[in-house]
Amino acid sequence: MLLERIEGAAAVLDDEVRFAESALGLCRFVNNAGVVATELGVAADIGEVLYEGAVPRRKLERIYTSALTLAAPELLSQMGMGMGMGEENATADAPEAVAGGDLETGTMM
């Protein structure tokens, strides 16, 4: 599933709206994968999970930085650093699909 999510994000990287949707799905997957593994009782059997697909490293870096950029307004708001904006307006300029991203998820990617 990780392979599909990353390659899906790579395919739409230059389309801001579609990438935001894809990045949200990728972030949700990364955020929830550990919980699912723990609930299934297989967390101890899973080592480090690495992407081993065909997307070049530079494009992977673009996916990562682009996802962080999309999540930045919400992250700053959560930290109380909404760049002078109130919490309710901190994500107003970000695509709706990014809501739910967090620093932990971004760094896990």
Side-chain angles (χ1 to χ4, degrees):
M1 286 187 74
L2 178 63
L3 185 79
E4 293 169 5
R5 298 279 182 188
I6 291 175
E7 291 180 355
V12 296
L13 188 56
D14 294 324
D15 182 330
E16 187 175 319
V17 173
R18 291 179 63 204
F19 177 75
E21 294 169 4
S22 184
L24 176 62
L26 177 58
C27 287
R28 282 186 179 154
F29 174 78
V30 170
N31 200 34
N32 293 320
V35 174
V36 171
T38 299
E39 290 298 316
L40 293 174
V42 297
D45 300 329
I46 299 174
E48 186 177 23
V49 178
L50 301 172
Y51 171 76
E52 296 180 351
V55 176
R57 181 182 172 127
R58 287 186 189 263
K59 199 164 207 175
L60 291 173
E61 289 172 354
R62 282 186 56 211
I63 291 169
Y64 178 74
T65 57
S66 296
L68 285 177
T69 299
L70 289 173
E74 184 173 333
L75 295 174
L76 291 171
S77 175
Q78 289 176 3
M79 294 184 301
M81 301 171 59
M83 293 192 275
M85 293 189 271
E87 225 174 272
E88 66 281 353
N89 295 326
T91 58
D93 294 332
E96 271 185 50
V98 182
D102 60 26
L103 184 57
E104 183 177 342
T105 303
T107 57
M108 289 173 63
M109 287 178 48

